[in-house]
Amino acid sequence: MMATQSEHSRVNHENPPPLSHDPRQHFYRRERQSVPAARAFASATLADWGIEPLRAYDVTLCVSELATNALLHGVPPGRGYQLHLTHVDDVLRVEVHDSGGGRPEVGGGGETDTSGRGLRLVAALADRWGAEGRAPGKVVWCEFDGDRACPAKTPLSGASGRRVSPVSQPAVPPPPASPTPSVRGGSARTSRGGAR
């Protein structure tokens, strides 16, 4: 039996087609300027896709961390890395392809360490992350779940899997305006070690 026009429109309304944007990708050479360029590329793509600004900030921060890791640990001299961004249905995926060996691990990133926090940050902001082998090298990726109906009005969910509102979403605190004084050995010193 054929469906009537009203039955057909009801079926289509209840089961909308998946939301899909054209995938975006860009190749970057092994140079320090590639990380800000990858951030700018991701930011422009996310704006084109209508991703809510606060969540786009999280995604862009993860792009920065994955690109930095590729640059520091994955890209051999004379090579580069490729950034892939996809948004299909309600999943936004970031992939960084590099030709280096090894497998990424979450570092310690202690209080005084100057590195080692990148993947910990990705794990905290993304809903999922991981790495897959490829020939040559690997793909390090992270995914963000979201609301397919209107990505610009409902922020993608955080790592906890629950929706976050712009008011309750944690913000990155700004750096201190001036060094915090501390007392060591009877003289006042700044937290950066200089005498006041």
Side-chain angles (χ1 to χ4, degrees), residues 87-134:
H87 188 208
V88 177
D89 207 7
D90 63 349
V91 177
L92 194 153
R93 183 173 172 106
V94 174
E95 296 179 356
V96 174
H97 299 236
D98 70 59
S99 57
R103 188 140 177 99
E105 295 180 13
V106 176
E111 189 175 315
T112 59
D113 294 340
T114 58
S115 65
R117 294 180 189 85
L119 288 177
R120 186 181 295 175
L121 188 60
V122 170
L125 295 174
D127 291 295
R128 288 167 300 284
W129 78 276
E132 301 165 0
R134 72 177 194 123

Side-chain angles (χ1 to χ4, degrees), residues 40-118:
F41 174 77
S43 182
T45 298
L46 298 172
D48 285 350
W49 289 347
I51 302 300
E52 190 275 331
L54 288 175
R55 191 56 167 168
Y57 178 83
D58 290 350
V59 175
T60 304
L61 186 55
C62 288
V63 165
S64 182
E65 294 301 331
L66 295 180
T68 298
N69 280 352
L71 194 63
L72 295 177
H73 307 294
V75 179
R79 302 254 177 122
Y81 64 92
Q82 187 136 16
L83 171 64
H84 289 257
L85 300 170
T86 58
H87 188 208
V88 177
D89 207 7
D90 63 349
V91 177
L92 194 153
R93 183 173 172 106
V94 174
E95 296 179 356
V96 174
H97 299 236
D98 70 59
S99 57
R103 188 140 177 99
E105 295 180 13
V106 176
E111 189 175 315
T112 59
D113 294 340
T114 58
S115 65
R117 294 180 189 85

Side-chain angles (χ1 to χ4, degrees), residues 19-42:
L19 175 67
S20 179
H21 298 282
D22 290 334
R24 308 274 177 97
Q25 61 185 357
H26 197 275
F27 179 81
Y28 297 94
R29 294 170 30 146
R30 185 180 192 242
E31 56 191 18
R32 197 177 299 250
Q33 298 87 349
S34 70
V35 175
R39 266 194 316 264
F41 174 77

Side-chain angles (χ1 to χ4, degrees), residues 11-21 49-51 87-92 144-157 163:
V11 171
N12 286 341
H13 179 68
E14 291 171 0
N15 301 311
L19 175 67
S20 179
H21 298 282
W49 289 347
I51 302 300
H87 188 208
V88 177
D89 207 7
D90 63 349
V91 177
L92 194 153
F144 300 83
D145 294 334
D147 180 9
R148 67 187 248 174
C150 189
K153 292 185 181 170
T154 304
L156 293 164
S157 62
R163 298 280 176 219

